[in-house]
Amino acid sequence: MSTKDFMDAESLVEPRGAFITLHPYELTLAKLVAQRRTKANEGVANAYVDIDGKDPLYDLYGAVCEQAVAKAFNEYWNAGCWDRPDHLVNKDEIPDVGADVEVRSVDNPWYKLIIRPNDVRHNRLMVLTYLVTPVTFDTYEPVTVDVIGFGRAKRLQAHGYPFMGKGMISVEQKHLVKYKKGMNVRSFA
């Protein structure tokens, strides 16, 4: 099935927050960042979600969702990618978007938001996203991301429960502020 087929099916998906569309020219940067992230972390499984090995598209999904949040919030996308030694330091100190926004992408629109200990320490503005249309490095059509909702890590922590050890917390979507297009998220956070 092609990306176009999924885009036609997009109307069947009810946004849980608001749909943000990234156009092919916007995807170019997300693809570059994803390729650099994958290269920098070759042979290293994601310590939080990927036990058996790394899906080559995992970095692309994350980069696309981060870029969509930056566009939705009208804030700078940090587009972070570092060599492995720097990654171990910067991944917890530099947020995904703006001064304090941490983006989480899920592969099911009903999944919960996962908060890591460092998110709470920095009281990051946590944002949950879902990639509605598929994307690959060969995608040259618009891609849609559902920016589901957001909230401050310290506030959300009180509504969560332990997840997979390592101090992580899982929070149900009902505890997030539902994102609406054009909304000033800073007035809620």
Side-chain angles (χ1 to χ4, degrees):
M1 188 176 278
S2 73
T3 302
K4 182 72 175 145
D5 295 332
F6 277 96
M7 288 177 64
D8 294 339
E10 180 182 308
S11 61
L12 302 175
V13 177
E14 181 75 23
R16 298 188 65 77
F19 284 159
I20 303 299
T21 300
L22 294 179
H23 299 282
Y25 66 90
E26 294 170 305
L27 291 174
T28 301
L29 180 57
K31 290 176 186 180
L32 175 65
V33 168
Q35 288 170 335
R36 291 194 59 208
R37 286 177 180 175
T38 300
K39 183 70 175 160
N41 293 300
E42 247 174 1
V44 178
N46 184 309
Y48 293 102
V49 298
D50 197 3
I51 295 164
D52 298 325
K54 192 164 185 155
D55 180 340
L57 295 177
Y58 180 78
D59 287 322
L60 181 58
Y61 300 158
V64 167
C65 289
E66 289 170 17
Q67 190 174 24
V69 168
K71 182 177 182 177
F73 290 11
N74 195 28
E75 293 194 24
Y76 178 77
W77 178 35
N78 295 323
C81 50
W82 309 277
D83 291 332
R84 187 70 192 158
D86 293 332
H87 175 77
L88 297 173
V89 174
N90 294 335
K91 71 181 179 84
D92 290 333
E93 298 305 318
I94 299 175
D96 296 328
V97 174
D100 63 349
V101 178
E102 195 65 30
V103 178
R104 294 287 187 270
S105 57
V106 292
D107 56 8
N108 181 312
W110 298 277
Y111 282 178
K112 298 171 179 71
L113 173 72
I114 304 301
I115 301 174
R116 297 175 183 158
N118 209 57
D119 301 326
V120 174
R121 184 169 65 86
H122 289 292
N123 198 24
R124 299 274 195 229
L125 179 61
M126 304 301 299
V127 182
L128 185 63
T129 61
Y130 168 68
L131 190 59
V132 177
T133 49
V135 62
T136 69
F137 288 103
D138 297 324
T139 300
Y140 295 99
E141 296 159 349
V143 171
T144 302
V145 173
D146 188 358
V147 178
I148 297 170
F150 62 93
R152 284 282 170 200
K154 285 183 180 177
R155 183 186 67 78
L156 293 172
Q157 178 185 29
H159 300 287
Y161 55 89
F163 178 77
M164 290 181 64
K166 301 180 186 176
M168 295 190 298
I169 300 163
S170 177
V171 179
E172 292 182 26
Q173 290 182 23
K174 69 182 180 181
H175 299 292
L176 302 176
V177 176
K178 183 176 179 176
Y179 178 73
K180 295 178 182 132
K181 239 180 209 174
M183 132 188 273
N184 178 1
V185 298
R186 296 300 177 180
S187 65
F188 290 88

